[in-house]
Amino acid sequence: MSGRTLARHFEAELGMSLRSWRRRLRLFKAIELMGGGLGVTQTAMELGYGSTSAFVYAFRTAMGCGPQAYMRGRDADAPAGP
């Protein structure tokens, strides 16, 4: 099966392109890594971004805010512990 055929089948089944799916998966992994305590720069390098600014741009484009602001907002929404 050619790469293009695979991409067409993928999009038909999931309703999104393979590229969009990979981008989303990368962002979910970023949230997981930062939630585990990894910093923005380390997360960017772990996920293969060429620079921290490229990661921040991609994150902001997809999520509507930067990674640090997202994590602060996520922490504020977490229920209080016992």
Side-chain angles (χ1 to χ4, degrees), residues 44-71:
M45 297 302 114
E46 179 72 24
L47 295 176
Y49 284 91
S51 66
T52 303
S53 60
F55 167 66
V56 170
Y57 177 81
F59 195 97
R60 181 173 284 129
T61 300
M63 304 301 284
C65 64
Q68 290 180 330
Y70 179 87
M71 295 309 290

Side-chain angles (χ1 to χ4, degrees), residues 11-25:
E11 190 163 352
E13 288 294 319
L14 295 180
M16 70 171 50
S17 69
L18 182 56
R19 177 179 276 181
S20 295
W21 178 82
R22 288 186 69 218
R23 191 176 305 125
R24 185 175 289 188
L25 181 64

Side-chain angles (χ1 to χ4, degrees), residues 1-54:
M1 178 183 298
S2 73
R4 179 67 187 130
T5 299
L6 175 62
R8 278 196 313 272
H9 285 290
F10 189 93
E11 190 163 352
E13 288 294 319
L14 295 180
M16 70 171 50
S17 69
L18 182 56
R19 177 179 276 181
S20 295
W21 178 82
R22 288 186 69 218
R23 191 176 305 125
R24 185 175 289 188
L25 181 64
R26 222 172 175 191
L27 288 171
F28 285 142
K29 184 65 178 174
I31 292 167
E32 179 183 314
L33 291 172
M34 290 185 300
L38 210 58
V40 173
T41 300
Q42 294 91 344
T43 298
M45 297 302 114
E46 179 72 24
L47 295 176
Y49 284 91
S51 66
T52 303
S53 60

